[in-house]
mmCIF file of all heavy atoms in Angstrom:
data_model
loop_
_atom_site.group_PDB
_atom_site.id
_atom_site.type_symbol
_atom_site.label_atom_id
_atom_site.label_comp_id
_atom_site.label_asym_id
_atom_site.label_seq_id
_atom_site.Cartn_x
_atom_site.Cartn_y
_atom_site.Cartn_z
ATOM 1 N N THR A 798 -7.032 0.930 0.306
ATOM 2 C CA THR A 798 -6.438 0.517 1.620
ATOM 3 C C THR A 798 -5.107 1.158 1.955
ATOM 4 O O THR A 798 -4.412 1.560 0.974
ATOM 5 C CB THR A 798 -6.243 -1.059 1.725
ATOM 6 O OG1 THR A 798 -5.215 -1.449 0.816
ATOM 7 C CG2 THR A 798 -7.563 -1.730 1.341
ATOM 8 N N GLY A 799 -4.886 1.303 3.165
ATOM 9 C CA GLY A 799 -3.635 1.834 3.599
ATOM 10 C C GLY A 799 -2.918 0.942 4.749
ATOM 11 O O GLY A 799 -3.558 -0.133 4.964
ATOM 12 N N ALA A 800 -1.933 1.366 5.367
ATOM 13 C CA ALA A 800 -1.185 0.547 6.271
ATOM 14 C C ALA A 800 -2.047 -0.100 7.409
ATOM 15 O O ALA A 800 -1.753 -1.159 7.909
ATOM 16 C CB ALA A 800 -0.161 1.366 6.917
ATOM 17 N N GLY A 801 -3.203 0.631 7.715
ATOM 18 C CA GLY A 801 -3.976 0.060 8.770
ATOM 19 C C GLY A 801 -4.628 -1.322 8.462
ATOM 20 O O GLY A 801 -4.914 -2.031 9.377
ATOM 21 N N VAL A 802 -4.780 -1.641 7.215
ATOM 22 C CA VAL A 802 -5.385 -2.930 6.840
ATOM 23 C C VAL A 802 -4.412 -4.028 7.171
ATOM 24 O O VAL A 802 -4.881 -5.120 7.289
ATOM 25 C CB VAL A 802 -5.791 -2.923 5.266
ATOM 26 C CG1 VAL A 802 -4.606 -3.265 4.404
ATOM 27 C CG2 VAL A 802 -6.926 -3.793 5.091
ATOM 28 N N SER A 803 -3.146 -3.758 7.330
ATOM 29 C CA SER A 803 -2.146 -4.825 7.656
ATOM 30 C C SER A 803 -1.756 -4.799 9.208
ATOM 31 O O SER A 803 -1.068 -5.587 9.599
ATOM 32 C CB SER A 803 -0.837 -4.636 6.730
ATOM 33 O OG SER A 803 -1.156 -4.811 5.382
ATOM 34 N N ALA A 804 -2.362 -3.802 9.870
ATOM 35 C CA ALA A 804 -1.962 -3.685 11.294
ATOM 36 C C ALA A 804 -2.313 -4.933 12.062
ATOM 37 O O ALA A 804 -1.497 -5.381 12.957
ATOM 38 C CB ALA A 804 -2.713 -2.397 11.944
ATOM 39 N N GLU A 805 -3.476 -5.593 11.759
ATOM 40 C CA GLU A 805 -3.859 -6.820 12.554
ATOM 41 C C GLU A 805 -2.988 -8.003 12.164
ATOM 42 O O GLU A 805 -3.113 -9.110 12.675
ATOM 43 C CB GLU A 805 -5.269 -7.093 12.283
ATOM 44 C CG GLU A 805 -6.179 -6.108 13.119
ATOM 45 C CD GLU A 805 -7.550 -5.839 12.512
ATOM 46 O OE1 GLU A 805 -7.758 -5.033 11.663
ATOM 47 O OE2 GLU A 805 -8.390 -6.719 12.827
ATOM 48 N N ILE A 808 1.936 -5.775 11.324
ATOM 49 C CA ILE A 808 2.820 -4.764 10.492
ATOM 50 C C ILE A 808 2.601 -3.439 11.016
ATOM 51 O O ILE A 808 1.479 -2.852 10.983
ATOM 52 C CB ILE A 808 2.487 -4.842 8.986
ATOM 53 C CG1 ILE A 808 2.239 -6.306 8.501
ATOM 54 C CG2 ILE A 808 3.501 -4.163 8.196
ATOM 55 C CD1 ILE A 808 3.385 -7.238 8.686
ATOM 56 N N PRO A 809 3.686 -2.784 11.479
ATOM 57 C CA PRO A 809 3.504 -1.433 12.082
ATOM 58 C C PRO A 809 3.051 -0.428 10.923
ATOM 59 O O PRO A 809 3.537 -0.547 9.795
ATOM 60 C CB PRO A 809 4.951 -1.096 12.532
ATOM 61 C CG PRO A 809 5.775 -2.320 12.587
ATOM 62 C CD PRO A 809 5.089 -3.299 11.562
ATOM 63 N N THR A 810 2.212 0.489 11.309
ATOM 64 C CA THR A 810 1.876 1.622 10.536
ATOM 65 C C THR A 810 2.965 2.581 10.559
ATOM 66 O O THR A 810 3.796 2.501 11.424
ATOM 67 C CB THR A 810 0.496 2.223 10.792
ATOM 68 O OG1 THR A 810 0.563 2.736 12.087
ATOM 69 C CG2 THR A 810 -0.629 1.125 10.725
ATOM 70 N N PHE A 811 2.887 3.658 9.689
ATOM 71 C CA PHE A 811 3.979 4.656 9.781
ATOM 72 C C PHE A 811 3.646 5.629 10.927
ATOM 73 O O PHE A 811 4.480 6.183 11.642
ATOM 74 C CB PHE A 811 4.019 5.460 8.511
ATOM 75 C CG PHE A 811 4.873 4.804 7.455
ATOM 76 C CD1 PHE A 811 5.465 3.611 7.692
ATOM 77 C CD2 PHE A 811 5.082 5.374 6.321
ATOM 78 C CE1 PHE A 811 6.315 3.007 6.829
ATOM 79 C CE2 PHE A 811 5.910 4.772 5.328
ATOM 80 C CZ PHE A 811 6.523 3.624 5.539
ATOM 81 N N ARG A 812 2.286 5.906 11.113
ATOM 82 C CA ARG A 812 1.962 7.017 12.099
ATOM 83 C C ARG A 812 1.424 6.476 13.416
ATOM 84 O O ARG A 812 1.025 7.176 14.228
ATOM 85 C CB ARG A 812 1.047 7.974 11.368
ATOM 86 C CG ARG A 812 1.616 8.752 10.297
ATOM 87 C CD ARG A 812 0.775 9.661 9.556
ATOM 88 N NE ARG A 812 1.448 10.356 8.544
ATOM 89 C CZ ARG A 812 1.817 9.799 7.377
ATOM 90 N NH1 ARG A 812 1.418 8.587 7.091
ATOM 91 N NH2 ARG A 812 2.565 10.424 6.541
ATOM 92 N N GLY A 813 1.433 5.173 13.587
ATOM 93 C CA GLY A 813 0.943 4.562 14.836
ATOM 94 C C GLY A 813 2.026 4.642 15.917
ATOM 95 O O GLY A 813 3.140 5.191 15.719
ATOM 96 N N ARG A 846 11.962 -4.395 7.948
ATOM 97 C CA ARG A 846 10.405 -4.404 7.546
ATOM 98 C C ARG A 846 10.183 -5.752 6.854
ATOM 99 O O ARG A 846 9.129 -6.407 6.981
ATOM 100 C CB ARG A 846 10.062 -3.334 6.745
ATOM 101 C CG ARG A 846 10.059 -2.017 7.510
ATOM 102 C CD ARG A 846 9.746 -0.735 6.688
ATOM 103 N NE ARG A 846 8.441 -0.866 6.084
ATOM 104 C CZ ARG A 846 8.076 -0.028 5.077
ATOM 105 N NH1 ARG A 846 8.846 0.820 4.607
ATOM 106 N NH2 ARG A 846 6.866 -0.136 4.615
ATOM 107 N N GLN A 881 -2.154 1.395 -0.915
ATOM 108 C CA GLN A 881 -0.972 2.181 -0.772
ATOM 109 C C GLN A 881 0.074 1.254 -0.126
ATOM 110 O O GLN A 881 1.227 1.727 0.097
ATOM 111 C CB GLN A 881 -1.192 3.281 0.212
ATOM 112 C CG GLN A 881 -2.291 4.225 -0.286
ATOM 113 C CD GLN A 881 -2.637 5.277 0.814
ATOM 114 O OE1 GLN A 881 -1.964 6.235 1.082
ATOM 115 N NE2 GLN A 881 -3.817 4.930 1.549
ATOM 116 N N ASN A 882 -0.174 -0.009 0.173
ATOM 117 C CA ASN A 882 0.676 -0.880 0.854
ATOM 118 C C ASN A 882 1.701 -1.398 -0.134
ATOM 119 O O ASN A 882 1.364 -1.680 -1.243
ATOM 120 C CB ASN A 882 -0.070 -1.910 1.707
ATOM 121 C CG ASN A 882 -0.865 -1.406 2.794
ATOM 122 O OD1 ASN A 882 -0.678 -0.159 3.100
ATOM 123 N ND2 ASN A 882 -1.777 -2.067 3.357
ATOM 124 N N VAL A 883 2.835 -1.738 0.421
ATOM 125 C CA VAL A 883 3.946 -2.345 -0.336
ATOM 126 C C VAL A 883 4.141 -3.768 0.111
ATOM 127 O O VAL A 883 5.046 -4.410 -0.383
ATOM 128 C CB VAL A 883 5.124 -1.552 -0.227
ATOM 129 C CG1 VAL A 883 4.995 -0.057 -0.721
ATOM 130 C CG2 VAL A 883 5.679 -1.473 1.306
ATOM 131 N N ASP A 884 3.261 -4.276 1.006
ATOM 132 C CA ASP A 884 3.630 -5.630 1.649
ATOM 133 C C ASP A 884 3.266 -6.810 0.823
ATOM 134 O O ASP A 884 3.702 -7.884 1.299
ATOM 135 C CB ASP A 884 3.077 -5.580 3.085
ATOM 136 C CG ASP A 884 1.569 -5.308 3.061
ATOM 137 O OD1 ASP A 884 0.905 -5.640 2.057
ATOM 138 O OD2 ASP A 884 1.056 -4.873 4.138
ATOM 139 N N HIS A 899 1.986 2.394 -4.483
ATOM 140 C CA HIS A 899 3.259 2.739 -4.017
ATOM 141 C C HIS A 899 4.395 1.619 -4.206
ATOM 142 O O HIS A 899 5.293 1.556 -3.388
ATOM 143 C CB HIS A 899 3.151 3.050 -2.496
ATOM 144 C CG HIS A 899 2.462 4.365 -2.268
ATOM 145 N ND1 HIS A 899 1.874 4.709 -1.021
ATOM 146 C CD2 HIS A 899 1.979 5.369 -3.073
ATOM 147 C CE1 HIS A 899 1.234 5.821 -1.113
ATOM 148 N NE2 HIS A 899 1.259 6.306 -2.375
ATOM 149 N N PHE A 952 8.333 9.255 -0.286
ATOM 150 C CA PHE A 952 7.740 10.618 -0.093
ATOM 151 C C PHE A 952 8.420 11.623 -0.985
ATOM 152 O O PHE A 952 9.613 11.587 -1.240
ATOM 153 C CB PHE A 952 7.960 11.142 1.327
ATOM 154 C CG PHE A 952 7.173 10.284 2.365
ATOM 155 C CD1 PHE A 952 7.702 9.486 3.254
ATOM 156 C CD2 PHE A 952 5.744 10.343 2.373
ATOM 157 C CE1 PHE A 952 6.947 8.692 4.204
ATOM 158 C CE2 PHE A 952 5.031 9.641 3.232
ATOM 159 C CZ PHE A 952 5.599 8.820 4.180
ATOM 160 N N VAL A 977 -10.135 1.917 3.712
ATOM 161 C CA VAL A 977 -9.863 1.141 4.935
ATOM 162 C C VAL A 977 -8.469 1.403 5.392
ATOM 163 O O VAL A 977 -7.451 1.300 4.650
ATOM 164 C CB VAL A 977 -9.945 -0.368 4.584
ATOM 165 C CG1 VAL A 977 -9.802 -1.225 5.880
ATOM 166 C CG2 VAL A 977 -11.391 -0.618 3.806
ATOM 167 N N GLY A 978 -8.250 1.882 6.671
ATOM 168 C CA GLY A 978 -7.026 1.794 7.275
ATOM 169 C C GLY A 978 -5.974 2.820 6.698
ATOM 170 O O GLY A 978 -4.759 2.483 6.602
ATOM 171 N N THR A 979 -6.415 3.920 6.284
ATOM 172 C CA THR A 979 -5.454 4.966 5.790
ATOM 173 C C THR A 979 -5.674 6.299 6.578
ATOM 174 O O THR A 979 -6.875 6.583 6.815
ATOM 175 C CB THR A 979 -5.494 5.200 4.281
ATOM 176 O OG1 THR A 979 -4.692 6.314 3.972
ATOM 177 C CG2 THR A 979 -6.899 5.474 3.732
ATOM 178 N N SER A 980 -4.562 6.916 6.863
ATOM 179 C CA SER A 980 -4.696 8.187 7.627
ATOM 180 C C SER A 980 -5.143 9.210 6.597
ATOM 181 O O SER A 980 -5.476 10.372 7.166
ATOM 182 C CB SER A 980 -3.341 8.541 8.213
ATOM 183 O OG SER A 980 -2.343 8.644 7.117
ATOM 184 N N ALA A 981 -5.267 8.998 5.372
ATOM 185 C CA ALA A 981 -5.725 9.882 4.360
ATOM 186 C C ALA A 981 -4.852 11.245 4.393
ATOM 187 O O ALA A 981 -5.434 12.363 4.206
ATOM 188 C CB ALA A 981 -7.208 10.220 4.578
ATOM 189 N N LEU A 982 -3.609 11.118 4.627
ATOM 190 C CA LEU A 982 -2.701 12.254 4.740
ATOM 191 C C LEU A 982 -1.698 12.289 3.618
ATOM 192 O O LEU A 982 -1.223 13.300 3.186
ATOM 193 C CB LEU A 982 -1.926 12.310 6.014
ATOM 194 C CG LEU A 982 -2.717 12.485 7.314
ATOM 195 C CD1 LEU A 982 -1.872 12.319 8.528
ATOM 196 C CD2 LEU A 982 -3.276 13.909 7.303
ATOM 197 N N VAL A 983 -1.530 11.086 3.036
ATOM 198 C CA VAL A 983 -0.485 10.980 1.987
ATOM 199 C C VAL A 983 -1.165 11.285 0.589
ATOM 200 O O VAL A 983 -1.937 10.359 0.119
ATOM 201 C CB VAL A 983 0.264 9.565 1.976
ATOM 202 C CG1 VAL A 983 1.240 9.419 0.943
ATOM 203 C CG2 VAL A 983 0.951 9.319 3.374
ATOM 204 N N VAL A 1003 -13.468 2.900 7.130
ATOM 205 C CA VAL A 1003 -13.264 2.000 8.238
ATOM 206 C C VAL A 1003 -11.875 2.277 8.800
ATOM 207 O O VAL A 1003 -10.819 2.228 8.228
ATOM 208 C CB VAL A 1003 -13.204 0.530 7.710
ATOM 209 C CG1 VAL A 1003 -13.012 -0.406 8.916
ATOM 210 C CG2 VAL A 1003 -14.577 0.162 7.021
ATOM 211 N N ASN A 1004 -11.881 2.731 10.061
ATOM 212 C CA ASN A 1004 -10.697 3.064 10.801
ATOM 213 C C ASN A 1004 -11.031 3.237 12.191
ATOM 214 O O ASN A 1004 -12.034 3.720 12.567
ATOM 215 C CB ASN A 1004 -10.117 4.466 10.180
ATOM 216 C CG ASN A 1004 -8.745 4.773 10.511
ATOM 217 O OD1 ASN A 1004 -8.246 4.665 11.569
ATOM 218 N ND2 ASN A 1004 -8.000 5.118 9.387
ATOM 219 N N PRO A 1005 -10.097 2.809 13.157
ATOM 220 C CA PRO A 1005 -10.389 2.979 14.556
ATOM 221 C C PRO A 1005 -10.217 4.376 15.006
ATOM 222 O O PRO A 1005 -10.747 4.753 16.056
ATOM 223 C CB PRO A 1005 -9.261 2.198 15.235
ATOM 224 C CG PRO A 1005 -8.309 1.693 14.209
ATOM 225 C CD PRO A 1005 -8.860 2.054 12.894
ATOM 226 N N GLU A 1006 -9.603 5.227 14.152
ATOM 227 C CA GLU A 1006 -9.374 6.720 14.552
ATOM 228 C C GLU A 1006 -9.995 7.567 13.491
ATOM 229 O O GLU A 1006 -10.117 7.187 12.326
ATOM 230 C CB GLU A 1006 -7.835 7.023 14.564
ATOM 231 C CG GLU A 1006 -6.955 6.119 15.378
ATOM 232 C CD GLU A 1006 -7.202 6.385 16.892
ATOM 233 O OE1 GLU A 1006 -7.726 7.551 17.204
ATOM 234 O OE2 GLU A 1006 -6.934 5.496 17.667
ATOM 235 N N THR A 1008 -10.164 10.548 10.706
ATOM 236 C CA THR A 1008 -9.089 11.026 9.752
ATOM 237 C C THR A 1008 -9.812 12.259 9.055
ATOM 238 O O THR A 1008 -10.887 12.605 9.244
ATOM 239 C CB THR A 1008 -8.859 9.978 8.637
ATOM 240 O OG1 THR A 1008 -9.970 10.010 7.765
ATOM 241 C CG2 THR A 1008 -8.641 8.627 9.178
ATOM 242 N N GLY A 1020 -13.530 1.189 13.938
ATOM 243 C CA GLY A 1020 -13.192 -0.122 14.338
ATOM 244 C C GLY A 1020 -11.987 -0.623 13.571
ATOM 245 O O GLY A 1020 -11.473 0.008 12.603
ATOM 246 N N LYS A 1021 -11.539 -1.862 13.860
ATOM 247 C CA LYS A 1021 -10.384 -2.380 13.156
ATOM 248 C C LYS A 1021 -10.880 -3.076 11.924
ATOM 249 O O LYS A 1021 -12.011 -3.741 11.750
ATOM 250 C CB LYS A 1021 -9.772 -3.569 14.106
ATOM 251 C CG LYS A 1021 -9.114 -2.959 15.348
ATOM 252 C CD LYS A 1021 -8.465 -4.036 16.088
ATOM 253 C CE LYS A 1021 -7.693 -3.363 17.263
ATOM 254 N NZ LYS A 1021 -7.073 -4.414 18.079
ATOM 255 N N ALA A 1022 -9.968 -2.970 10.887
ATOM 256 C CA ALA A 1022 -10.418 -3.437 9.528
ATOM 257 C C ALA A 1022 -10.810 -4.905 9.487
ATOM 258 O O ALA A 1022 -11.870 -5.223 8.854
ATOM 259 C CB ALA A 1022 -9.158 -3.206 8.646
ATOM 260 N N GLY A 1023 -10.049 -5.806 10.150
ATOM 261 C CA GLY A 1023 -10.351 -7.192 10.172
ATOM 262 C C GLY A 1023 -11.695 -7.491 10.761
ATOM 263 O O GLY A 1023 -12.557 -8.258 10.253
HETATM 264 P P1 LIG B 1561 -0.546 5.578 8.069
HETATM 265 O O1 LIG B 1561 0.451 4.972 8.841
HETATM 266 O O2 LIG B 1561 -0.424 7.034 7.697
HETATM 267 O O3 LIG B 1561 -1.892 5.453 8.689
HETATM 268 C C1 LIG B 1561 -2.472 4.166 9.176
HETATM 269 C C2 LIG B 1561 -3.893 4.387 9.404
HETATM 270 O O4 LIG B 1561 -4.489 3.028 9.858
HETATM 271 C C3 LIG B 1561 -4.299 5.328 10.593
HETATM 272 O O5 LIG B 1561 -5.321 6.088 10.231
HETATM 273 C C4 LIG B 1561 -4.705 4.317 11.724
HETATM 274 O O6 LIG B 1561 -5.755 4.881 12.508
HETATM 275 C C5 LIG B 1561 -5.291 3.197 10.998
HETATM 276 N N1 LIG B 1561 -5.246 1.858 11.610
HETATM 277 C C6 LIG B 1561 -4.504 1.376 12.552
HETATM 278 N N2 LIG B 1561 -4.823 0.160 12.899
HETATM 279 C C7 LIG B 1561 -6.003 -0.285 12.152
HETATM 280 C C8 LIG B 1561 -6.789 -1.333 12.010
HETATM 281 N N3 LIG B 1561 -6.530 -2.390 12.745
HETATM 282 N N4 LIG B 1561 -7.808 -1.248 11.056
HETATM 283 C C9 LIG B 1561 -7.958 -0.166 10.353
HETATM 284 N N5 LIG B 1561 -7.164 0.952 10.363
HETATM 285 C C10 LIG B 1561 -6.216 0.929 11.247
HETATM 286 O O7 LIG B 1561 -0.683 4.687 6.678
HETATM 287 P P2 LIG B 1561 -1.168 5.189 5.199
HETATM 288 O O8 LIG B 1561 -2.298 6.035 5.331
HETATM 289 O O9 LIG B 1561 -1.134 3.973 4.511
HETATM 290 O O10 LIG B 1561 0.024 6.115 4.666
HETATM 291 C C11 LIG B 1561 1.321 5.906 4.818
HETATM 292 C C12 LIG B 1561 2.292 5.323 3.832
HETATM 293 O O11 LIG B 1561 2.948 4.351 4.496
HETATM 294 C C13 LIG B 1561 1.587 4.687 2.675
HETATM 295 O O12 LIG B 1561 2.308 5.219 1.469
HETATM 296 C C14 LIG B 1561 2.061 3.143 2.711
HETATM 297 O O13 LIG B 1561 2.478 2.782 1.455
HETATM 298 C C15 LIG B 1561 3.090 3.175 3.680
HETATM 299 N N6 LIG B 1561 3.149 2.019 4.560
HETATM 300 C C16 LIG B 1561 2.827 0.766 4.096
HETATM 301 C C17 LIG B 1561 2.816 -0.303 4.961
HETATM 302 C C18 LIG B 1561 2.529 -1.702 4.505
HETATM 303 O O14 LIG B 1561 2.785 -2.028 3.277
HETATM 304 N N7 LIG B 1561 1.907 -2.634 5.298
HETATM 305 C C19 LIG B 1561 3.101 -0.150 6.379
HETATM 306 C C20 LIG B 1561 3.424 1.120 6.804
HETATM 307 C C21 LIG B 1561 3.386 2.245 5.875
#
Side-chain angles (χ1 to χ4, degrees):
T798 66
V802 85
S803 297
E805 286 154 271
I808 315 300
T810 61
F811 276 2
R812 291 178 182 78
R846 292 177 61 194
Q881 300 169 80
N882 294 347
V883 298
D884 55 28
H899 293 166
F952 292 108
V977 186
T979 171
S980 60
L982 293 171
V983 179
V1003 179
N1004 199 310
E1006 305 287 339
T1008 76
K1021 293 184 175 178

